[in-house]
Amino acid sequence: MRNAPHLLINTPDIEIWPGGLLHARSNHDARLLARASHVLRRKQDGRYLAAQLAGGLMPLLPRLADAAGINEALAALDTRLTQPARIPPPPGTLPLDRLQQRLDQLGLDEARYAERTGLALVAEPAHLALAGFDRYRRPLWLTRAAARAWQRLQQAAAVDGIALEAISGYRSHAYQLGIFERKQARGLSVEQILTVNAAPGYSEHHGGNALDISSPGEPAAEESFEHTAAFAWLQLHAATFGFHMSYPRDNPHGIVYEPWHWCLASRDDAPN
């Protein structure tokens, strides 16, 4: 967890990925990504912006200097490149000052939504750790504490003959907004989507401490997961590793029952 290649550096507009974890659509980009120590990736649409090579930064789109947030991202990258790899970066979170703009796009009022649901704003971590890979072989990003806890949980389940698979972990505010936009494009209303997905800024996934869990052969994020041996094992043992199920039946937040969604408790709530 402490090596630089295993860390995602997070800024408000741009994620800085370690090299070797991203796939390119073109042969040209694939060759660059294969040689890169880090890749700058825009949160809004997943576009690759630049690759950090041994000889310097290689732009992957025209007018890189005009990209939103590029100066902040380059400063964060420079800090990481000049810091010894053995020293983990300090914990921290990103500001929430752009959240209202995303809620405005959905026609949501921040104060009314928070009062109605009882959900708290969740800031994004400044750094995330590679916790392995999910069912779809995508990198699974969590906070360092959640990554360690998830790996211990998964290993303990395996000892008992239970296979646990991660479906998703950290999600940015921008990604959460994209979920709403894609569902709206399919004809769903914002109110319909809010019964399944928290508004951008209010999902536990933003904080890097929550993940969706399933087991081999089971559909992802379906209520049927509660009938599996994996869910029964989680009910008995997850709390030992600091995890709790956030959205039980009839929860006060207006979120549907989610037996697949588990979150690492805060230090104040975590078991001794």
Side-chain angles (χ1 to χ4, degrees):
M1 293 295 176
R2 297 192 177 187
N3 295 328
H6 294 159
L7 287 174
L8 183 146
I9 304 166
N10 203 10
T11 69
D13 295 293
I14 297 170
E15 296 169 345
I16 304 170
W17 282 58
L21 293 177
L22 291 169
H23 301 288
R25 294 183 177 89
S26 71
N27 290 334
H28 175 264
D29 286 357
R31 288 192 294 270
L32 286 176
L33 265 58
R35 296 159 45 209
S37 66
H38 296 84
V39 179
L40 278 65
R41 181 177 182 266
R42 187 162 56 197
K43 288 183 177 181
Q44 180 181 359
D45 56 8
R47 176 75 182 269
Y48 302 156
L49 303 181
Q52 178 66 43
L53 307 177
L57 192 72
M58 175 64 70
L60 296 175
L61 86 169
R63 303 179 64 84
L64 176 64
D66 295 337
I70 189 63
N71 291 333
E72 187 171 358
L74 291 177
L77 175 59
D78 183 64
T79 298
R80 189 58 191 156
L81 290 175
T82 57
Q83 184 180 43
R86 67 181 182 275
I87 300 177
T93 56
L94 304 184
L96 290 163
D97 55 355
R98 302 183 194 181
L99 177 61
Q100 187 59 56
Q101 179 182 355
R102 294 190 169 99
L103 295 176
D104 287 344
Q105 290 179 248
L106 300 174
L108 289 173
D109 178 84
E110 177 184 338
R112 291 180 181 176
Y113 178 77
E115 181 179 4
R116 185 181 77 185
T117 64
L119 294 173
L121 287 172
V122 182
E124 299 177 26
H127 303 90
L128 291 140
L130 183 65
F133 295 85
D134 66 17
R135 169 185 286 183
Y136 311 104
R137 302 306 301 162
R138 300 175 303 192
L140 178 68
W141 297 109
L142 297 169
T143 63
R144 287 195 292 271
R148 289 191 293 266
W150 161 245
Q151 290 168 343
R152 290 195 296 265
L153 177 75
Q154 193 177 36
Q155 291 163 5
V159 170
D160 290 342
I162 300 295
L164 298 179
E165 292 180 331
I167 301 300
S168 67
Y170 159 75
R171 295 201 295 258
S172 69
H173 295 166
Y175 187 93
Q176 193 78 0
L177 177 61
I179 291 176
F180 276 75
E181 290 173 337
R182 289 189 291 275
K183 290 187 175 182
Q184 284 181 292
R186 299 203 302 265
L188 294 177
S189 69
V190 169
E191 287 302 317
Q192 288 174 315
I193 302 168
L194 286 173
T195 64
V196 180
N197 300 107
Y202 293 88
S203 170
E204 289 183 330
H205 285 282
H206 298 325
N209 287 318
L211 70 165
D212 295 336
I213 300 174
S214 190
S215 55
E218 286 296 315
E222 292 288 345
E223 191 174 310
S224 59
F225 180 62
E226 73 170 346
H227 302 299
T228 66
F231 179 71
W233 189 93
L234 286 169
Q235 286 186 300
L236 289 173
H237 302 288
T240 303
F241 298 88
F243 286 98
H244 66 274
M245 186 174 58
S246 301
Y247 305 116
R249 293 188 189 278
D250 301 318
N251 67 79
H253 307 300
I255 301 292
V256 296
Y257 173 45
E258 294 190 354
W260 62 85
H261 179 102
W262 296 77
C263 188
L264 186 70
S266 67
R267 291 185 178 181
D268 294 336
D269 298 333
N272 296 326

